[in-house]
């Protein structure tokens, strides 16, 4: 590929990473807003994580502050999962284990 294609591809990947981080942060925020009618969607969260994993290699070397944002988002997800597991019953813990398997992959 030429330099223009490389630059555009990297820009596209960067936008994808930022979009997925926004989605993940919004999902975690649903659990923190005090509104029982809004809850984190495991399906949306897993899809966003997968899209983030797919786009990350293109931007990893030049991610800069974005790497810190990825780490903060992952910490928020991990804290939510730990809290939900501690407060949930067996069915919720089972769902969280499935989520953890996808997250760790």
């Amino acid at each position: 590929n030429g330099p223009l294609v490389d630059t555009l591809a990297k820009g596209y990947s960067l936008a994808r990473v930022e979009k997925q981080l926004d989605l993940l942060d919004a999902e975690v925020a649903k659990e923190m807003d005090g509104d029982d009618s809004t809850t984190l969607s495991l399906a949306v969260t897993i899809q966003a994580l997968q899209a983030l994993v797919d786009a990350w290699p293109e931007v990893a070397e030049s991610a800069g502050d974005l790497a810190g944002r990825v780490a903060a988002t992952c910490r928020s997800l991990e804290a939510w999962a730990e809290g939900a597991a501690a407060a949930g019953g067996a069915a919720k813990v089972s769902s969280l284990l499935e989520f953890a398997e996808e997250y760790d992959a």
Side-chain angles (χ1 to χ4, degrees):
N1 293 334
L4 180 57
V5 170
D6 291 343
T7 299
L8 292 173
K10 187 174 279 190
Y12 175 70
S13 293
L14 181 62
R16 285 180 55 209
V17 165
E18 290 174 346
K19 179 181 178 184
Q20 300 317 312
L21 289 173
D22 289 344
L23 280 170
L24 290 167
D25 291 340
E27 287 300 311
V28 172
K30 289 178 183 179
E31 292 296 321
M32 307 302 178
D33 66 5
D35 182 354
D36 290 340
S37 68
T38 60
T39 58
L40 180 143
S41 166
L42 288 178
V44 169
T45 301
I46 290 169
Q47 289 172 352
L49 285 168
Q50 186 58 54
L52 180 62
V53 166
D54 292 344
W56 187 252
E58 286 284 328
V59 300
E61 289 182 18
S62 61
D65 293 339
L66 204 52
R69 184 167 175 215
V70 169
T73 296
C74 289
R75 281 191 303 272
S76 294
L77 279 170
E78 290 166 359
W80 165 80
E82 289 171 1
K92 186 154 192 162
V93 171
S94 177
S95 293
L96 289 171
L97 285 172
E98 289 178 29
F99 167 75
E101 289 173 2
E102 290 286 332
Y103 176 80
D104 287 342

